[in-house]
Amino acid sequence: GMVVGGREAESEQASEVYETETELSFPTSISIPPSPRPMIQKWTGSKPGYVFQMGPSGLGYYPDRHKGGVNYTAKAGTGPPLQLVGVGMRCMLQRCDIHLARAYAIGLYIEEKTIRGGDAPPVTNPKVNKTMRLVMAREVKGGHIGKGFDRTLIPKLRQITGQKQGDWKGELRKFTRAFQRVGLMKVGAEVLFSMPGDGSITVYIDGVQAEKIQSPALCQAVVDMYVGDSPVAPLVKQHFLDGFSAAYNKGCAANIPPPGTLAAAS
């Protein structure tokens, strides 16, 4: 094993793996920061480093990361650990062989205890605590990504809700707004879609919570986009499902490196 600080490393397990085409790296385990809680709920005048706003936990003073306030997500890793089960590439027209067609690598993480024991819940089961981690493979405008999600999710949400219009429109607007606010996303920029199983989806961009949306329909549509009947990237679906079933049957540790990844960069 590697020697770390003069002693044997505890674990032989790789702590990160690499997507096979691009070698973008994925930690084998992550944990999601908790929602930021406001410092005080009611307005008591301006406070340096804080902004009074409607935030993920209601109205109140939130740390303002633009003004030296504590970053919302500085307390990384307080949620339960989630394990990587599979990774794939999202490419335009599925042409992953063409460098410029590669949009992002995406990995599926699950909380192991939500899938062990009893009958295997499918990966689509809303109670499975899961997070998708996207890593940009090329520079792209946030607005462009938002539009792409919009186009894919509208028909899925219509189908799921059975409504041409409805609450889902506003919920989807919040979701795409997270990307429209970003500007340019560089190669390696990270997006997380956290769906802990309570009907909410939280979008993090480069470690900062961008939007939290309470919408079981949107959660279902996002999962459906990757593992449903007409997935945006068939290979991503295959890797997610194969890895999920291996994690269910043998445990997450036996599934390293997960489908779609290499244990070490070449």
Side-chain angles (χ1 to χ4, degrees):
M2 267 180 8
V3 176
V4 177
R7 64 187 175 82
E8 278 288 294
E10 305 283 276
S11 137
E12 291 297 313
Q13 197 70 277
S15 63
E16 57 182 357
V17 292
Y18 302 87
E19 193 280 322
T20 47
E21 303 279 324
T22 56
E23 298 194 351
L24 291 166
S25 84
F26 281 79
T28 53
S29 178
I30 59 173
S31 45
I32 298 300
S35 290
R37 307 220 66 79
M39 183 170 77
I40 306 169
Q41 304 278 180
K42 59 177 200 297
W43 173 251
T44 55
S46 73
K47 296 188 187 317
Y50 287 85
V51 56
F52 189 77
Q53 63 178 33
M54 193 61 179
S57 308
L59 196 62
Y61 288 91
Y62 287 86
D64 182 353
R65 63 196 180 88
H66 301 293
K67 301 220 177 69
V70 193
N71 188 330
Y72 283 177
T73 56
K75 285 197 276 301
T78 48
L82 305 173
Q83 313 302 327
L84 181 62
V85 297
V87 171
M89 283 302 300
R90 166 77 172 111
C91 304
M92 300 304 130
L93 308 171
Q94 313 312 334
R95 291 299 302 269
C96 291
D97 53 323
I98 302 174
H99 204 78
L100 280 173
R102 297 173 186 167
Y104 55 81
I106 178 169
L108 173 66
Y109 290 81
I110 51 156
E111 182 186 0
E112 191 163 15
K113 79 170 174 34
T114 63
I115 65 157
R116 305 291 290 161
D119 296 327
V123 65
T124 48
N125 184 312
K127 289 194 171 52
V128 172
N129 177 0
K130 52 187 159 295
T131 287
M132 292 175 184
R133 177 178 183 264
L134 289 65
V135 184
M136 298 305 132
R138 61 188 175 96
E139 203 166 89
V140 62
K141 290 195 176 80
H144 180 74
I145 293 187
K147 277 202 186 76
F149 282 131
D150 219 35
R151 267 199 307 276
T152 307
L153 292 169
I154 286 171
K156 294 191 185 303
L157 282 159
R158 284 191 173 142
Q159 196 183 350
I160 288 163
T161 60
Q163 300 171 318
K164 270 189 95 68
Q165 310 288 329
D167 292 348
W168 65 263
K169 286 214 115 152
E171 291 158 4
L172 178 59
R173 197 173 302 121
K174 279 186 80 169
F175 181 79
T176 52
R177 195 168 65 201
F179 295 95
Q180 285 152 0
R181 287 199 299 253
V182 178
L184 201 62
M185 297 184 81
K186 301 256 192 278
V187 174
E190 178 197 72
V191 176
L192 299 176
F193 299 149
S194 164
M195 293 169 273
D198 58 2
S200 73
I201 177 167
T202 305
V203 180
Y204 297 84
I205 298 178
D206 284 330
V208 177
Q209 182 170 322
E211 281 293 345
K212 180 173 183 178
I213 305 128
Q214 192 61 41
S215 172
L218 182 58
C219 291
Q220 194 185 327
V222 168
V223 171
D224 198 46
M225 175 160 64
Y226 297 107
V227 296
D229 293 335
S230 48
V232 292
L235 212 53
V236 168
K237 174 179 175 172
Q238 191 190 323
H239 291 170
F240 282 9
L241 295 184
D242 290 353
F244 189 84
S245 120
Y248 179 81
N249 293 313
K250 303 186 296 230
C252 292
N255 183 42
I256 303 287
T261 67
L262 304 163
S266 58

